[in-house]
Every structure is written in C-alpha cells, then in structure tokens.
C-alpha cells in the first residue's frame, strides 16, 4: 500500500464554491429547502467541481470484472462461466447497465481484471487480467500483496482514462460470480460484526445457502485475523489480500484516484460501498469525493453505509450490481444541477422574496 500511496495527495474541496452555490440557491424562486436532497446534492457537487453552478455533462462508467476462487465452496447459485457471459452481454448492449449508460449518454468501459475464462479476448473489453480469478479465500489469502497493488493500479488507470476524456463524474461497477461473499467478508473484517448481520443471498441463494455462506466467511476471517496489522490503512490492504477480489480492489483504487484527481464518485450498491469503505480506511479524505446512490436489498449494505456516514439517494430494493443503481441515481444528480442552474432568481422573475422564508428547512451537503 505504501507504494500505491507514495505520491498520493487528495484534492481539497472548494468551500468558496459551496458558499457561492448556497447563496445562489437562496435566490431561486422557491422556499428554502423546498427541493430537499436535490439542493444538498448541488452543494456537494459545487465544492467538488469548484463552481457555484455544477453540472454533469460527461459521466464515465467503469465496470471491473473478476472471478473468485471461493466459488468452489458452493457460495453462489451460478457457475463462474457467467462472469464472461455477462461481459459479452455488457459490450453487446443487452445488460441493464448498457441500457442505462445509453440513456444517460455515459461512456461505458468494461475491464477484465482476472476471469477464469479470459481467453479468447472479447472485443470491446479491456483485458488486464491479474490471474484467472483469486485463490479460495477459505483456504488461503485470496491474492498476494503484489496482485493487490496491481488491482489498485487498474482502478487508478481507469480514472486517468476518464479524466483524459473530460469526465466530470465516475461510477464504478462490478461483475464477478462469488463477489458478494468476498464483499461480505471484507465488511465483516472492517466492521467487526458477526457474519449473520452482513451476509445476504447474493445472486439468489436459499436460506440454507446463505447460512453456508456465513460459515465460509466466518472460517475465512478466523483463518486470517490473528495476523492483521494495527493501523487502519495496513488493515485495509491486509484484508483486501486475504478475502478481497480483484474487481473490489480495483474499485478501491478508483475511489482513491477520484479524490486524488478531483473527480466526483457516485457509489453504487453493497459491493461498491465496501470498496468505498476500504478506500476511506486507506485515505479518510477520499470520503469527501463520494456521493451514494442507493441502499440495496443486501442486508449488510445499510451497515456499511452507516460506517461511511452516507445518506443514499434512493431505496428501491435493487440488488443487481454492475453499477445499475448508481446509473439510475445519476438522473437525479443531473436534475438537481439543472434546477439549480436554470431556475429563475427572485429578481429575474419579479417574485416577492418573502417566499424564500416560507416553509422549508435549510439544506446541507449530502453525500
């Protein structure tokens, strides 16, 4: 981790831009706070984008894919071959995230971080395989420290590509059969909570399957916990290597890079939020560059969001992954910016400014 963070410097937020956005908001033809979280979204984006009138014109979606050795323990309802099959679906335009990316006119990038079936190469997929999936986390460390560094770097490189294209917001998504097991194990390690509170059905396990999955995670944590280091950043790297996934570590690297490069990150569901939690454990300042799209149906997601002190924008019972919840919430962010930027002020509309003092609470930043 020291190598990855050797020159890492997160960008500062613009308090002046946030204040200017708040002053402009107070002049719009509505009662103060009448647009609720939509007003708060704008204040967060204003201080991230360093402008009183933020906008999202070029969103970028990176989907990181990888397989997991722990699938050998029967923790998933689907075989690992589905990971590659879904990547084909992504690039052919048939997946949910493909539809949503088209709707939002977002650049969609699909990255193979290490699948069991990486060959032959898929047209439209950026192949950067670290290995043919991680090792079985029940039996041994899921990856080496060097592989973890490689995954973090893959995430950072994705944000660099987004920045070079002019992107003003990044959404990181994931695909990998077995990755809810890895994410839940990471959450158990980070939050020091029983597995029963954090483990869900994933792609569709029954009650017996969920109980088995909990047991696998408990045994994996017991295998590794005695060797964990003391500092938060070192613990984050340690648990990523012990029970993480290549795609989860890549998302962690992407969130760190968003803070370093000054790009807003809209966080998706359970697995993405676990990656965000690990980015914050590595660098607490990374939290300031995150917005949270939704609370998924996975039981552990609410606890992870609480640990991040995050207020999600939506609660729709979604649990698809692949950045779909964040892509749905992206429309809300754009709506918030349009209202802030295009509504008339009291002076422009010749409306009595006493309206501003009527029913409405003051808005605060949300993320």
């Amino acid at each position: 981790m020291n190598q990855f963070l050797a020159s890492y410097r997160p960008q500062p937020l613009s308090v002046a831009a946030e204040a200017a956005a708040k002053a402009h908001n107070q002049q719009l033809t509505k009662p103060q706070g009448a647009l609720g979280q939509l007003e708060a979204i704008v204040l967060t984006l204003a201080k991230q984008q360093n402008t009183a009138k933020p906008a999202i014109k070029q969103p970028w979606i990176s989907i990181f894919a990888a397989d997991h050795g722990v699938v050998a323990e029967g923790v998933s309802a689907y075989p690992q071959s589905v990971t590659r099959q879904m990547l084909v679906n992504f690039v052919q335009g048939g997946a949910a995230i493909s539809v949503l990316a088209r709707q939002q006119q977002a650049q969609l990038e699909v990255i193979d971080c290490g699948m069991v079936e990486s060959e032959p190469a898929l047209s439209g997929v950026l192949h950067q395989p670290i290995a043919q999936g991680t090792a079985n986390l029940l039996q041994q460390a899921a990856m080496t420290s060097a592989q973890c560094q490689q995954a973090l770097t893959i995430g950072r490189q994705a944000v660099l590509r987004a920045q070079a294209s002019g992107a003003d917001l990044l959404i990181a998504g994931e695909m990998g059969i077995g990755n809810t097991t890895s994410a839940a194990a990471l959450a158990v390690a980070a939050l020091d909570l029983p597995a029963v509170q954090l483990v869900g059905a994933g792609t569709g396990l029954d009650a017996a399957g969920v109980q088995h999955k909990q047991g696998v995670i408990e045994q994996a944590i017991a295998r590794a916990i005695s060797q964990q280091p003391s500092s938060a950043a070192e613990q984050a790297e340690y648990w990523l290597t012990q029970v993480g996934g290549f795609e989860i570590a890549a998302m962690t690297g992407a969130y760190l890079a968003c803070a370093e490069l000054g790009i807003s990150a809209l966080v998706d569901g359970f697995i993405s939020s676990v990656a965000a939690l690990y980015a914050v454990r590595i660098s607490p300042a990374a939290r300031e560059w995150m917005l949270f799209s939704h609370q998924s149906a996975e039981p552990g997601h609410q606890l992870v969001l609480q640990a991040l002190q995050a207020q999600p924008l939506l609660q729709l019972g979604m649990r698809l992954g692949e950045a779909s919840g964040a892509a749905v919430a992206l429309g809300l962010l754009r709506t918030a910016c349009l209202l802030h930027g295009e509504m008339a002020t009291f002076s422009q509309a010749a409306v009595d400014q006493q309206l501003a003092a009527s029913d409405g609470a003051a808005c605060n930043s949300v993320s």
Side-chain angles (χ1 to χ4, degrees):
M1 192 68 65
N2 290 335
Q3 175 187 351
F4 185 79
L5 296 176
S7 60
Y8 180 78
R9 297 291 185 275
Q11 292 289 319
L13 299 174
S14 175
V15 177
E18 180 185 23
K22 189 171 185 177
H24 177 73
N25 176 68
Q26 290 171 346
Q27 297 300 313
L28 300 179
T29 49
K30 60 173 179 59
Q32 291 303 305
L35 292 176
Q37 281 187 263
L38 295 179
E39 298 182 32
I41 288 167
V42 169
L43 298 187
T44 297
L45 288 171
K47 63 184 178 182
Q48 292 173 346
Q49 294 187 2
N50 191 23
T51 176
K53 292 186 178 181
I56 299 172
K57 297 180 179 179
Q58 296 188 59
W60 180 285
I61 303 172
S62 289
I63 307 295
F64 302 94
D67 278 315
H68 295 258
V70 72
V71 169
E73 303 301 328
V75 295
S76 175
Y78 291 91
Q80 287 183 313
S81 58
V82 171
T83 302
R84 180 184 173 91
Q85 291 166 9
M86 283 303 301
L87 261 62
V88 173
N89 197 23
F90 291 156
V91 296
Q92 289 182 346
I97 190 56
S98 309
V99 175
L100 290 164
R102 288 196 299 272
Q103 178 200 33
Q104 296 290 350
Q105 296 183 315
Q107 177 68 43
L108 176 62
E109 176 184 70
V110 181
I111 306 161
D112 165 24
C113 301
M115 299 185 296
V116 169
E117 299 180 9
S118 284
E119 298 292 340
L122 297 172
S123 177
V125 173
L126 177 58
H127 288 281
Q128 296 183 316
I130 297 168
Q132 288 183 291
T134 55
N136 185 344
L137 60 82
L138 177 63
Q139 306 294 338
Q140 64 186 90
M143 66 185 86
T144 66
S145 180
Q147 288 174 330
C148 184
Q149 295 285 340
Q150 192 174 348
L152 290 165
T153 300
I154 286 172
R156 185 176 187 275
Q157 289 171 343
V159 182
L160 286 169
R161 288 191 296 273
Q163 182 190 50
S165 78
D168 44 30
L169 179 136
L170 182 123
I171 295 173
E174 41 64 37
M175 177 63 215
I177 296 301
N179 64 7
T180 59
T181 299
S182 179
L186 287 167
V188 168
L191 302 181
D192 193 23
L193 291 172
V196 67
Q197 295 186 38
L198 292 158
V199 177
T203 51
L205 292 174
D206 59 17
V210 172
Q211 188 173 13
H212 171 66
K213 185 175 170 181
Q214 291 169 2
V216 169
I217 290 171
E218 288 167 351
Q219 292 176 63
I221 298 297
R223 170 187 62 75
I225 196 167
S226 64
Q227 300 299 315
Q228 73 170 340
S230 57
S231 76
E234 289 174 338
Q235 283 182 13
E237 179 185 21
Y238 176 77
W239 286 112
L240 282 171
T241 62
Q242 289 298 317
V243 298
F246 295 145
E247 81 280 37
I248 299 174
M251 287 193 295
T252 299
Y255 294 134
L256 289 168
C258 282
E260 179 187 9
L261 301 173
I263 297 176
S264 302
L266 181 58
V267 181
D268 190 40
F270 176 56
I271 298 168
S272 299
S273 295
V274 169
L277 177 62
Y278 271 70
V280 171
R281 293 293 173 89
I282 293 167
S283 173
R287 173 65 183 81
E288 298 294 337
W289 290 91
M290 299 174 182
L291 297 104
F292 292 82
S293 60
H294 75 118
Q295 181 180 317
S296 79
E298 279 292 303
H301 194 197
Q302 183 177 4
L303 293 168
V304 173
L305 289 170
Q306 288 174 357
L308 286 161
Q309 298 182 318
Q311 184 178 3
L313 300 173
L314 299 171
Q315 190 166 351
L316 301 174
M318 297 178 70
R319 57 181 184 87
L320 177 59
E322 66 186 49
S324 56
V328 169
L330 176 57
L332 282 179
L333 269 63
R334 284 179 145 163
T335 297
C337 292
L338 283 171
L339 288 168
H340 181 78
E342 297 185 12
M343 281 181 67
T345 64
F346 288 107
S347 60
Q348 289 169 339
V351 173
D352 190 337
Q353 194 162 352
Q354 288 184 347
L355 171 67
S358 64
D359 298 333
C363 62
N364 296 300
S365 295
V366 63
S367 54

